[in-house]
Amino acid sequence: MKLIKNIFACFCLTFILSVAGQAQDLQHEGISQKGWTAKKELSDTLTKRDPEFNYYEENVPAFELTDPLIMLDGTEVADPETWKLKRRPEILELFRKFVYGRAPIERPEDLSFDVFDVNREALGGKAIRKQVRVNFTGKNEGPFMDILIYLPNHVKKTVPLFLGLNFQGNQTIHSDPAIRINTSWLPNEKEGVENNRSTEKTRGVKSSRWPVEKILERGYGLATIYYGDLDPDFHDGFKNGVHPAFDKQDARPDDAWGAIGAWAWGLCRAMDYIETDLDIDQKHVAIIGHSRLGKTALWAGARDERFAMVISNNSGCGGAALSRRRFGETVERINTVFPHWFCDNFKKYNGKEDDLPVDQHMLISLIAPRLVYIASADEDLWADPHGEFLSALYANPVYRFFGKKGLEIDYIPPLGKPVQQGNTGYHIRTGKHNLTEYDWQRYMDFADKYMSK
Ligand code: GCU
């Protein structure tokens, strides 16, 4: 198998990309001189706090990455048809088998949509609001998820849409009193939660992450779902959420879907609804996710080509960050603290990242040639900003293979200077692990360029 050799030593980066059979040698002058680098004081502080994790670029080990354009049997992908029919399914299967697990079903036969709220004069007339209960099995007791949708009002055409899971319930994204309060499980530590259920006090508590009016002003719609409707985020042996409704065997195989698999599957079912909604431009749906939900957005976008654009906000380990870099969070750490997120096979690679049959640049390549945007934050070293950027960069050969430009810079850009080239976007902003209005505005800039309204 042909490999891309990637060596980080003394801040010096050299790699060889094979583009459609043509080896292209890219020499880099050094990531410490150009673009962003982590503040040493921050690396020192984090190291003091968690000495078992690496926060220094010079300690990233040498590693090799698989070329996404070389098949498992060693042959090069010669044309887009081979990518679509052979290599893409091959990589997808590797991710199913070794990382996120396999959903036992795609669209269930009894999937139903109950649009229980439509208000064409919502938010003081600015928005059309819809709320939709998606029932996965046709049984009254569920499982089901509620989609909250805001669309810009008084627009003649169908509108492009951002779709994303939220962490604390639909009513937390805006103070609109008509949003149905979520009834699924939530951790008691979350603001306004009592006895693991949301109360009225949770309305709007997460609105800073969801600038609804600003999104509408720019001509986009927004749809969101509480991720716990699909699978409450704690390890209960997969007894709640959508898993028990569809898992066939009692003994779960090593490649059975985990929580991320279920959350991503839910986004695909939301797309099933969107395809029926005549107010939405279904050809221009972007999925967005922050952190664990960024990992989820990437996996959903990789597996479902109906999504035109995929946005990873600070997704880190198991998301956009390359696992082999072992910078910040590692495969072992994520599998230990969150044993329910991935499939059991992934745990076999704890401390053995070099043996993984995939790395996360291959996940990004599954999104090609569609739009992908990856974003990091400079204080979020746990998520490895460099690793997040590099997986976008190393997916570029696949974009180029499809005649798209790809990123024209081969080093991480400076702080607050987004790059949006070809079908790929990346930025690193100042601040902490979070989804901010700055991030949203950049995603909308990118969407303005490429997702025609
Ligand atoms: C933890 C976890 C990350 C995850 C994050 C989040 O920090 O280690 O992998 O992205 O939680 O989802 O907030």
Side-chain angles (χ1 to χ4, degrees):
M1 188 183 300
K2 224 176 179 183
L3 295 166
I4 300 170
K5 184 109 175 140
N6 179 20
I7 301 168
F8 287 84
C10 314
F11 288 109
C12 189
L13 162 68
T14 305
F15 63 90
I16 297 169
L17 294 178
S18 162
V19 184
Q22 265 189 317
Q24 200 193 336
D25 203 352
L26 294 178
Q27 299 282 345
H28 297 260
E29 279 159 35
I31 45 186
S32 65
Q33 290 145 35
K34 281 183 175 183
W36 172 83
T37 44
K39 287 200 189 91
K40 186 172 175 305
E41 311 82 78
L42 180 59
S43 301
D44 292 346
T45 310
L46 293 173
T47 306
K48 236 186 227 155
R49 206 181 64 194
D50 313 312
E52 71 269 39
F53 300 108
N54 172 38
Y55 294 103
Y56 298 100
E57 196 59 43
E58 59 270 35
N59 294 341
V60 170
F63 60 88
E64 293 181 333
L65 293 177
T66 301
D67 184 336
L69 291 170
I70 307 284
M71 309 266 302
L72 282 174
D73 67 6
T75 54
E76 259 176 50
V77 177
D79 47 64
E81 208 57 13
T82 312
W83 171 265
K84 277 191 193 136
L85 299 177
K86 293 200 176 137
R87 184 57 173 154
R88 189 178 186 283
E90 196 173 81
I91 299 177
L92 202 51
E93 177 57 16
L94 292 173
F95 276 104
R96 266 192 214 111
K97 190 157 179 194
F98 296 106
V99 184
Y100 303 105
R102 195 179 304 282
I105 192 166
E106 272 311 313
R107 185 187 165 124
E109 242 176 56
D110 295 320
L111 187 77
S112 64
F113 311 121
D114 171 23
V115 185
F116 63 85
D117 171 42
V118 181
N119 183 329
R120 292 193 173 264
E121 291 300 327
L123 305 185
K126 280 186 226 145
I128 301 172
R129 187 193 57 241
K130 298 187 188 183
Q131 298 187 75
V132 185
R133 175 149 292 189
V134 179
N135 190 314
F136 299 114
T137 57
K139 294 186 189 130
N140 277 343
E141 68 274 20
F144 48 73
M145 65 178 181
D146 287 348
I147 316 177
L148 167 67
I149 304 170
Y150 286 111
L151 304 173
N153 210 352
H154 311 298
V155 176
K156 297 239 165 58
K157 294 192 296 182
T158 57
V159 292
L161 181 89
F162 288 92
L163 164 68
L165 297 173
N166 65 69
F167 280 91
Q168 284 171 238
N170 294 347
Q171 76 284 352
T172 64
I173 76 134
H174 198 282
S175 55
D176 180 351
I179 303 173
R180 186 183 269 186
I181 299 248
N182 186 272
T183 56
S184 302
W185 181 92
L186 272 126
N188 280 333
E189 309 79 71
K190 300 282 180 199
E191 196 178 342
V193 173
E194 286 164 24
N195 302 319
N196 298 113
R197 292 293 178 278
S198 300
T199 68
E200 282 288 331
K201 288 181 228 149
T202 60
R203 288 195 182 281
V205 294
K206 281 287 156 192
S207 56
S208 68
R209 280 197 177 162
W210 303 91
V212 176
E213 278 82 358
K214 303 255 164 63
I215 295 169
L216 296 172
E217 271 162 28
R218 290 191 63 164
Y220 295 96
L222 173 71
T224 188
I225 302 151
Y226 170 52
Y227 80 136
D229 281 0
L230 291 149
D231 189 22
D233 192 2
F234 64 94
H235 191 35
D236 69 333
F238 303 99
K239 299 280 183 298
N240 57 19
V242 294
H243 291 104
F246 299 109
D247 283 344
K248 290 186 190 80
Q249 298 127 289
D250 285 341
R252 288 168 55 83
D254 287 350
D255 64 352
W257 56 342
I260 293 178
W263 302 329
W265 179 87
L267 286 168
C268 303
R269 305 292 65 83
M271 191 64 197
D272 294 340
Y273 164 75
I274 288 166
E275 287 184 322
T276 69
D277 190 318
L278 300 179
D279 290 322
I280 302 171
D281 175 0
Q282 51 179 268
K283 293 267 177 282
H284 292 109
V285 175
I287 30 171
I288 177 167
H290 169 62
S291 207
R292 68 198 70 183
L293 299 180
K295 309 179 207 300
T296 304
L298 287 171
W299 176 229
R303 65 203 285 290
D304 192 333
E305 293 180 288
R306 293 176 295 175
F307 296 114
M309 173 170 165
V310 183
I311 303 164
S312 148
N313 192 84
N314 309 178
S315 64
C317 181
L322 291 174
S323 303
R324 279 166 174 73
R325 278 173 49 83
R326 286 153 272 198
F327 187 106
E329 187 170 26
T330 60
V331 170
E332 177 160 14
R333 165 57 161 72
I334 205 166
N335 278 328
T336 310
V337 178
F338 306 102
H340 57 299
W341 282 4
F342 300 88
C343 72
D344 279 347
N345 275 333
F346 195 45
K347 301 187 175 92
K348 297 177 185 157
Y349 298 93
N350 288 352
K352 294 188 187 149
E353 286 83 351
D354 292 317
D355 296 343
L356 263 169
V358 288
D359 211 321
Q360 300 307 103
H361 65 304
M362 294 166 78
L363 184 67
I364 311 303
S365 75
L366 290 174
I367 297 163
R370 292 167 293 145
L371 300 164
V372 67
Y373 198 118
I374 295 173
S376 314
D378 76 329
E379 289 178 41
D380 188 19
L381 299 190
W382 185 238
D384 185 14
H386 260 124
E388 294 182 313
F389 171 76
L390 288 174
S391 63
L393 188 68
Y394 292 138
N396 266 202
V398 184
Y399 279 86
R400 295 212 180 89
F401 187 73
F402 278 94
K404 304 287 172 196
K405 261 192 174 158
L407 291 171
E408 279 154 21
I409 71 168
D410 46 30
Y411 55 89
I412 191 166
L415 210 50
K417 297 255 181 287
V419 285
Q420 301 182 351
Q421 292 158 337
N423 276 15
T424 312
Y426 176 86
H427 73 246
I428 176 161
R429 65 156 167 80
T430 341
K432 294 195 189 315
H433 184 72
N434 198 1
L435 172 58
T436 67
E437 195 190 319
Y438 173 89
D439 297 315
W440 273 104
Q441 295 292 2
R442 302 298 74 75
Y443 302 145
M444 290 191 278
D445 294 344
F446 186 61
D448 282 353
K449 279 198 211 165
Y450 301 104
M451 290 217 302
S452 66
K453 278 187 251 178

